[in-house]
Amino acid sequence: MFIARKYTDLLKRYPLLTKSITGGILALASDFTSQTIERRICVDIVGMLKIEGSQTFDYKRNIRFGLFNLIINVPILHYYTAHLLPKLCPVSGVFTLLRKVAFDQIFAAPVFLTIFFGGLTLCEFRGMQAAIDKCRERLWPTLKTNWMIWPLANLINFGLVPIHYQVLFSNVASFGWGTYLSYVQNALKQ
């Protein structure tokens, strides 16, 4: 109970900083998990699984992933959930909840994924064309996977979770999603 109380206090006193640090730490853990899985099981081009243990842990990738979430992704998510969504859908109720989830999945998800793929590719110093190519190649398949997971998670988040905990809920729910995104971002690097 002490940790929950302390975290709530930090959220009230320093909402953006608390959410960003939490998201950065969870992103580091997600990428660590992704790299651990990648070192053990790799999927080749035709989709056949093969065991590989020769890859080494990429610390730069891990730090990039954590810092990107700490500095860019979580602050955007904070302002989106705390300021933009309440203005777009100011009343409560089932219809408003469905509108929030629809807006999130139709408009926000493609924007967030584009920022993710493009931004992380730019953080790798691979250039604007590589960022554009990464978005073109990976956005649509990742968005389809997103639609299998996030509508239900956001129904729970927007419908049951108090607004000051919504980014925390998203960050925790994002652990598995972040592991997947880290893999997709780094799969078949050229």
Side-chain angles (χ1 to χ4, degrees):
M1 251 352 220
F2 170 76
I3 294 172
R5 253 193 328 266
K6 185 67 175 164
Y7 189 82
T8 300
D9 181 53
L10 288 171
L11 271 177
K12 289 177 182 173
R13 291 176 46 210
Y14 312 104
L16 179 57
L17 182 62
T18 303
K19 292 172 187 178
S20 293
I21 291 171
T22 303
I25 290 169
L26 287 169
L28 288 170
S30 292
D31 181 71
F32 177 83
T33 302
S34 180
Q35 288 195 53
T36 301
I37 292 168
E38 288 169 31
R39 285 197 330 251
R40 292 194 175 109
I41 301 172
C42 294
V43 180
D44 68 16
I45 303 266
V46 293
M48 300 298 291
L49 292 178
K50 59 183 178 180
I51 304 299
E52 286 193 7
S54 61
Q55 296 174 339
T56 59
F57 188 79
D58 186 345
Y59 292 97
K60 288 180 184 178
R61 166 184 157 178
N62 189 254
I63 290 168
R64 260 193 317 270
F65 198 75
L67 285 176
F68 182 82
N69 279 279
L70 173 85
I71 296 168
I72 297 171
N73 197 42
V74 175
I76 291 171
L77 187 59
H78 164 74
Y79 286 106
Y80 171 71
T81 59
H83 302 288
L84 182 61
L85 268 182
K87 285 185 173 118
L88 292 173
C89 305
V91 296
S92 60
V94 174
F95 181 71
T96 300
L97 174 62
L98 294 175
R99 274 188 19 209
K100 279 183 181 181
V101 172
F103 178 84
D104 184 75
Q105 293 304 299
I106 293 168
F107 298 107
V111 169
F112 277 118
L113 288 173
T114 300
I115 291 169
F116 174 81
F117 287 127
L120 270 176
T121 302
L122 290 173
C123 288
E124 295 169 352
F125 302 106
R126 295 180 60 212
M128 185 59 78
Q129 189 58 51
I132 292 168
D133 292 344
K134 177 83 67 151
C135 289
R136 282 188 182 140
E137 175 188 321
R138 308 235 168 119
L139 180 63
W140 180 242
T142 307
L143 194 55
K144 290 189 289 187
T145 303
N146 170 84
W147 290 333
M148 289 187 262
I149 299 164
W150 284 103
L152 177 60
N154 283 334
L155 278 171
I156 294 166
N157 194 18
F158 301 148
L160 301 174
V161 178
I163 196 163
H164 59 281
Y165 289 121
Q166 287 181 359
V167 172
L168 174 62
F169 179 91
S170 290
N171 283 334
V172 172
S174 289
F175 178 80
W177 180 244
T179 302
Y180 170 75
L181 283 180
S182 178
Y183 172 76
V184 171
Q185 169 69 13
N186 293 286
L188 303 173
K189 267 199 177 167
Q190 300 170 355

